[in-house]
Structures are given as structure tokens and as C-alpha cells.
């Protein structure tokens, strides 16, 4: 699996088609949440992707109809001072779901092999070792009947630039864009290599990756819902 293999998908025909598909999968997601709550089941959803790929918007549509008592969303940034100096997985252990709960990670432990690798925040031997540590961590969860659903939202470099500029010009969105985003963009090629390595090393039978073409927001949002619902219904 590599980024270049991802297939393009056309935009949904019109807004009505988008809303119908969205509602259909949101209701199925609500039924799944009720089932997980009643049976004391757990699930972990992992969202990764390029900056401005639409992770937050997809998560909002995913959770829009859900009971807020039955899920938690964790936006992951740089570790806090009390988290530094501990094993990088420690802070994620603290956020694993309780019985009957779904935990949603907006970025995740994969930061170790992506941003920490590319930006030099982790030593080479540390991020190389992390692939096996992550696989073991996820297998521990899936062996304990806690599915780990991993999605990567992919946009082109050209589309990212368009969204960055839109954010800068929109007073309601410019808080989403900053120097770190532009710095990361300058390392696009290095991130491509890191992402492909991540897929190759961590796309496992128990916790596979799902790639979502995200240049078209309507498609990405409904496809995320469809993939999550389908994966959870299989458990």
C-alpha cells in the first residue's frame, strides 16, 4: 500500500445525494453506538492525514448523531511537560476507552513515525523501533476485543495549498493555520516517504489502514462514515 496507489473518487452528484448518504450512515453509526453501550464493548478510531485534509470535519459528521456520553474525541498535539520523559505510548494508554465507549483520536501514536521522524523530534533508532511497538500495542487491543479502525485522509499538495490560503483569508478558520503547517508543507516529500513506510510496516491483519481520498469533502466525510460503520459491524 502506497499513497500513489490511492484511487480518485468523483464528487457526489448533488447536495441531496450527499445528505441522504450522510444520514444513512449516521443512523447506522448511532445504532452501533447503542449496541456497544448495551454490551459493554469498546472501540478505537484513529484519524491520520495531511494537514487540512478534513479530519476534524469528518469526525464531526461521524459523531453528529451520537450520544456524547458514549464517545470521547482526543485531539493530539505535542506532549505536555508531564508526558515528556515517559514512553510515548503512555499518554495514549490513559485515553483508551472504558467499556461501552468509543475513543476517537484526531492524530495519534503515529506521530512518532511521522512528524517526530520528519522533523527530527525523535532519534532514528527510536522511530524505527516504534513500528514494532505500535503493532504490539494495537494487537494487544484487538486481541482483547477492542477493534482499532485506522483511517488516513489523503489530499494532493495542490489542494492543501488551496485550503491553507482559504483558512488564512477566512476569519472563522484562520486559527487553524500557523507556521507549523507551512513548515510541514515544505517537507512534503519526506512526509510521503514516512507515510509509505508507515503503511508498509503497520498495515496489519488485525488493524489495517484504510485510505480515504479527501480532495472532495462530501465524498471523504461519507466514505469515512461508511468505512467505520462497516468495520465496526464486522466485530
Amino acid at each position: 500500500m502506497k499513497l500513489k496507489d490511492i484511487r480518485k473518487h468523483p464528487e457526489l452528484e448533488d447536495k441531496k445525494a450527499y445528505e441522504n448518504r450522510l444520514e444513512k450512515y449516521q443512523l447506522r453509526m448511532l445504532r452501533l453506538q447503542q449496541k456497544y453501550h448495551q454490551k459493554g464493548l469498546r472501540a478505537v478510531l484513529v484519524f491520520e492525514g495531511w494537514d487540512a485534509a478534513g479530519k476534524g470535519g469528518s469526525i464531526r459528521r461521524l459523531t453528529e448523531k451520537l450520544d456524547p456520553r458514549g464517545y470521547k474525541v482526543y485531539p493530539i498535539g505535542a506532549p505536555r511537560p508531564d508526558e515528556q520523559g515517559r514512553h510515548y505510548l503512555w499518554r495514549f494508554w490513559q485515553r483508551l476507552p472504558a467499556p461501552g465507549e468509543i475513543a476517537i483520536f484526531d492524530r495519534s501514536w503515529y506521530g512518532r513515525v511521522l512528524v517526530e521522524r520528519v522533523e527530527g523530534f525523535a532519534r532514528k533508532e527510536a522511530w524505527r523501533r516504534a513500528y514494532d511497538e505500535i503493532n504490539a500495542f494495537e494487537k494487544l487491543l484487538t486481541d482483547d476485543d477492542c477493534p482499532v479502525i485506522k483511517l488516513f485522509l489523503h489530499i494532493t499538495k495542490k489542494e492543501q495549498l488551496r485550503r491553507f490560503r482559504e483558512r488564512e483569508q477566512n476569519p472563522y478558520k484562520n486559527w487553524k493555520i500557523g507556521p507549523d503547517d507551512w513548515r510541514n508543507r515544505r517537507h512534503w516529500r519526506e512526509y510521503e516517504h514516512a507515510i509509505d513506510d508507515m503503511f508498509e510496516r503497520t498495515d496489519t491483519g488485525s488493524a489495517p489502514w484504510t485510505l480515504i481520498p479527501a480532495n472532495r469533502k462530501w465524498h471523504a466525510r461519507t466514505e469515512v462514515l461508511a468505512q467505520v460503520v462497516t468495520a465496526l459491524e464486522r466485530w
Side-chain angles (χ1 to χ4, degrees), residues 25-40:
Y25 282 109
Q26 284 180 332
L27 290 176
R28 284 172 65 178
M29 188 66 201
L30 175 59
R31 295 188 194 102
L32 277 166
Q33 185 197 32
Q34 293 169 345
K35 170 187 171 182
Y36 271 61
H37 173 72
Q38 292 165 1
K39 296 189 174 183

Side-chain angles (χ1 to χ4, degrees), residues 7 16 48 73 78-79 88 106 108 113-114 130 143 190 192 197 208 220-221:
R7 296 179 178 179
K16 188 63 176 178
E48 290 288 351
V73 177
Y88 69 96
D106 184 350
S108 67
V113 297
L114 294 176
D143 284 352
E190 293 94 325
E192 284 184 325
D197 285 347
R221 292 166 182 171

Side-chain angles (χ1 to χ4, degrees), residues 169-180:
Q169 296 167 8
N170 187 330
Y172 298 104
K173 291 185 178 181
N174 57 23
W175 62 272
K176 293 183 175 183
I177 186 78
D180 288 346

Side-chain angles (χ1 to χ4, degrees), residues 48-63:
E48 290 288 351
W50 296 100
D51 293 331
K55 297 180 292 297
S58 295
I59 291 171
R60 284 196 298 276
R61 273 69 181 185
L62 178 73
T63 59

Side-chain angles (χ1 to χ4, degrees), residues 3-207:
L3 284 175
K4 67 179 182 180
D5 299 326
I6 196 167
R7 296 179 178 179
K8 295 181 179 180
H9 287 266
E11 180 63 284
L12 293 174
E13 292 181 2
D14 54 37
K15 187 175 182 180
K16 188 63 176 178
Y18 161 68
E19 291 176 343
N20 287 342
R21 191 166 191 249
L22 184 69
E23 183 178 17
K24 179 180 76 171
Y25 282 109
Q26 284 180 332
L27 290 176
R28 284 172 65 178
M29 188 66 201
L30 175 59
R31 295 188 194 102
L32 277 166
Q33 185 197 32
Q34 293 169 345
K35 170 187 171 182
Y36 271 61
H37 173 72
Q38 292 165 1
K39 296 189 174 183
L41 304 175
R42 299 165 296 143
V44 169
L45 310 184
V46 174
F47 283 79
E48 290 288 351
W50 296 100
D51 293 331
K55 297 180 292 297
S58 295
I59 291 171
R60 284 196 298 276
R61 273 69 181 185
L62 178 73
T63 59
E64 190 172 19
K65 303 292 186 183
L66 302 184
D67 186 329
R69 296 170 296 180
Y71 71 88
K72 289 186 174 67
V73 177
Y74 298 105
I76 301 299
R80 302 189 307 262
D82 62 303
E83 295 168 335
Q84 296 174 359
R86 302 176 186 266
H87 193 279
Y88 69 96
L89 288 175
W90 180 84
R91 60 175 172 154
F92 301 106
W93 274 103
Q94 314 307 307
R95 295 167 169 84
L96 291 180
E101 186 177 82
I102 297 172
I104 303 171
F105 290 90
D106 184 350
R107 298 201 184 277
S108 67
W109 42 91
Y110 283 98
R112 173 56 56 113
V113 297
L114 294 176
V115 65
E116 292 184 31
R117 166 184 169 172
V118 174
E119 305 298 337
F121 299 143
R123 300 187 311 276
K124 191 172 185 178
E125 60 269 25
W127 63 256
R128 281 185 167 179
R129 186 177 65 243
Y131 297 117
D132 290 336
E133 294 170 339
I134 288 170
N135 287 339
F137 174 59
E138 293 175 352
K139 190 173 188 303
L140 183 149
L141 293 174
T142 58
D143 284 352
D144 199 40
D145 294 324
C146 177
V148 179
I149 314 301
K150 304 185 303 194
L151 305 109
F152 187 94
L153 275 65
H154 177 61
I155 56 174
T156 62
K157 191 175 183 181
K158 180 180 179 180
E159 176 63 14
Q160 186 191 64
L161 179 60
R162 187 192 69 78
R163 294 185 186 186
F164 275 14
R165 287 173 173 167
E166 179 190 14
R167 287 181 175 186
E168 285 188 327
Q169 296 167 8
N170 187 330
Y172 298 104
K173 291 185 178 181
N174 57 23
W175 62 272
K176 293 183 175 183
I177 186 78
D180 288 346
D181 300 296
W182 289 106
R183 182 200 67 208
N184 292 347
R185 179 177 166 79
R186 289 194 293 271
H187 298 287
W188 184 276
R189 184 60 60 85
E190 293 94 325
Y191 274 104
E192 284 184 325
H193 291 316
I195 291 163
D196 284 341
D197 285 347
M198 177 186 74
F199 291 150
E200 181 179 355
R201 298 290 301 275
T202 64
D203 184 40
T204 63
S206 57

